[in-house]
Amino acid sequence: TRSLHDALPILGEAIQSVLRQTLTDWELVIVDDGSTDGTVDVARSFTDPRIRILQNESNIGVAAARNTLLAEARGEFCAWQDADDLMLPTRLIQQVDLMRKYPVLTACSTWASLIDESGQVWGYRRTPESPSSRDFLRGLQLVHAASLISRAALSSTCPFDVSLHRT
């Protein structure tokens, strides 16, 4: 899922990374959050029936747009992807397999490589491999762009607080 606003230069590559997934049973719900740069035209250029595009008349902000995505998502799991995020081809299948193997899990996350405009890795975002009680006390955070979360868990903890996030 993705909320986007004025993402013309990068959106096509992000969508292509979803289309390259080895898992084929997915949906991509794109919220065009009031873009003014032709972003929605790029999204519409993809004709895969698994892609659905929602369009806001004006920019409502990332939290409100994600609430829209949650209301529209049909799948068992949600994997967030912003317009500047790329998925490795086996990401979804590995995460879905893990969640199905261990049904007690409500979320899983991987590390993420941080890349520049030319695709060069310049750093990493990591979550603890074996979280300690201290990690939980200070609010263990998943790498948002590398997480898979059960929609049931999201539905019980959301909506996102729109007062905290504006783009």
Side-chain angles (χ1 to χ4, degrees), residues 41-60:
D41 296 327
V42 171
R44 286 186 181 134
S45 72
F46 291 88
T47 59
D48 192 296
R50 298 171 293 181
I51 298 174
R52 290 189 295 134
I53 301 166
L54 309 172
Q55 194 168 5
N56 295 334
E57 290 182 25
S58 63
N59 180 261
I60 62 173

Side-chain angles (χ1 to χ4, degrees), residues 1 34 40 47 54 62 73-74 97 123 126 129-130 136-137 144:
T1 55
V40 74
T47 59
L54 309 172
V62 67
R74 299 177 188 143
D97 285 350
R126 298 179 173 145
E129 289 181 40
S130 300
F136 285 104
L137 288 174
H144 182 81

